[in-house]
Amino acid sequence: PGSGKVLPRLSGFLSGAGASLGETASAVPTAGWKYLARVVGLCVCMDPQLERFADTLALAGIDITQPFDVRWYNAHAIEHSLPLSPLPTFERPPSDGTLAVLLGNSTALWPAFLRWLAAQPDPESVTDPLDTYTASVISAAVADLTGGARHDIFWVTDSSRLVSMQRVALVSGLCYHDAETQLSIHPAFGAWVAFRAVVVLDAPAARFGDSPPPLVRCLLTDADKASARDAMAAALRASDEANLCTQLHGAKGMERDVRLAWAALRDCVTVGRDHRYSEAQLVYHYTKDREVLMHAMRAQPAAT
């Protein structure tokens, strides 16, 4: 966490000609502000500080930046009796809300990460290279955003401070959450998204209004659902269920047959197939195979 300073200038989104977010329900972002501006074409803009923060991260491959109100996540966890600790509010008045940002990536992360890795003095010696890269990029951007003001970062890799990034994506209107497969499905990127961190800021989120945005509608076709059920059953058969969490998140990654089974689950989703991970990104995502990573790094075009 940062110091005791607050962020008085962070006002979140603005919509249209100077209207504060929360004045109309349509102003609430439903798939990430970058997605809305690019794909839907709505007039959506951020506080300049947050916009610079999002642009900086996007250049580094962290191209999903979704602001939300901590109240939405905390209320959702209580309503659904989820075994989740609440996100901090920094003792802000409940009527103010507390601003937070979900950070993640599409396939855009891979080339940026490979360029960074290739620039290291000894790429093969970097420990947990992808996590090291994303943590360094996000930490630097957060430091620039906050200037030492109070904040907290919850990392997807930190099991001691569990935050359900999928539930954040759901309540913030970023992704559809399929309860059967536990996939988060983005309206543009489909199943090909990964979440990296939630950043909680000592700043108000009252401009969002008291209510969260509408949930993203179901993005699965009937054929997708049938294929996903079959793929889920096959993936569970391929996994030792007693060690499933270790296989999904452990340092050694998955065995190849298990990796293929879980990758097939994502492939069942029709929307976003144009954003599918490359084979190298997919293999490394699930197996953490250093040989695959080094081969992909060396195959990258030389920087000009």
Side-chain angles (χ1 to χ4, degrees), residues 105-285:
N105 63 272
S106 68
T107 189
L109 177 66
W110 190 243
F113 163 57
L114 292 179
R115 288 192 296 270
W116 170 85
L117 187 61
Q120 302 310 299
D122 184 5
E124 296 193 29
S125 70
V126 179
T127 303
D128 298 324
L130 185 55
D131 292 340
T132 297
Y133 171 70
T134 55
S136 64
V137 165
I138 290 170
S139 296
V142 170
D144 180 64
L145 172 69
T146 62
R150 284 200 301 180
H151 65 277
D152 206 348
I153 306 178
F154 295 82
W155 303 98
V156 72
T157 54
D158 185 359
S159 59
S160 67
R161 302 204 308 159
L162 180 64
V163 172
S164 174
M165 308 282 171
Q166 292 175 316
R167 296 288 178 165
V168 173
L170 170 69
V171 300
S172 67
L174 177 70
C175 292
Y176 168 70
H177 180 255
D178 181 58
E180 189 167 358
T181 62
Q182 295 301 308
L183 286 175
S184 287
I185 304 171
H186 188 276
F189 301 134
W192 304 104
V193 294
F195 303 123
R196 301 295 168 184
V198 164
V199 182
V200 183
L201 304 166
D202 188 2
R207 291 176 183 269
F208 286 123
D210 292 330
S211 301
L215 299 181
V216 175
R217 63 176 178 82
C218 179
L219 298 172
L220 297 172
T221 67
D222 289 341
D224 290 347
K225 293 177 184 178
S227 296
R229 281 193 293 269
D230 292 342
M232 185 75 171
L236 288 171
R237 286 194 300 270
S239 300
D240 176 0
E241 293 189 45
N243 296 317
L244 178 58
C245 187
T246 299
Q247 290 173 336
L248 285 172
H249 304 295
K252 293 183 178 179
M254 296 182 181
E255 297 297 328
R256 184 174 180 83
D257 60 337
V258 180
R259 184 270 303 174
L260 291 173
W262 286 102
L265 185 61
R266 291 191 180 204
D267 276 327
C268 294
V269 181
T270 301
V271 66
R273 281 182 177 167
D274 290 346
H275 298 279
R276 187 183 190 273
Y277 293 171
S278 68
E279 188 63 18
Q281 182 177 5
L282 186 62
V283 171
Y284 186 72
H285 178 84

Side-chain angles (χ1 to χ4, degrees), residues 1-13 46-47 49-51 53-54 57 65-71 87-93 96-103 138-139 141-154 198-206 208:
S3 70
K5 293 162 59 180
V6 298
L7 298 173
R9 291 191 296 139
L10 281 179
S11 55
F13 280 90
M46 271 204 220
D47 177 283
Q49 288 176 281
L50 281 177
E51 186 168 0
F53 174 69
L57 288 171
T65 306
Q66 180 74 347
F68 67 98
D69 190 333
V70 162
R71 291 179 296 180
L87 288 170
T89 61
F90 297 112
E91 298 82 42
R92 301 194 68 84
D96 279 2
T98 304
L99 182 64
V101 187
L102 173 64
L103 302 176
I138 290 170
S139 296
V142 170
D144 180 64
L145 172 69
T146 62
R150 284 200 301 180
H151 65 277
D152 206 348
I153 306 178
F154 295 82
V198 164
V199 182
V200 183
L201 304 166
D202 188 2
F208 286 123

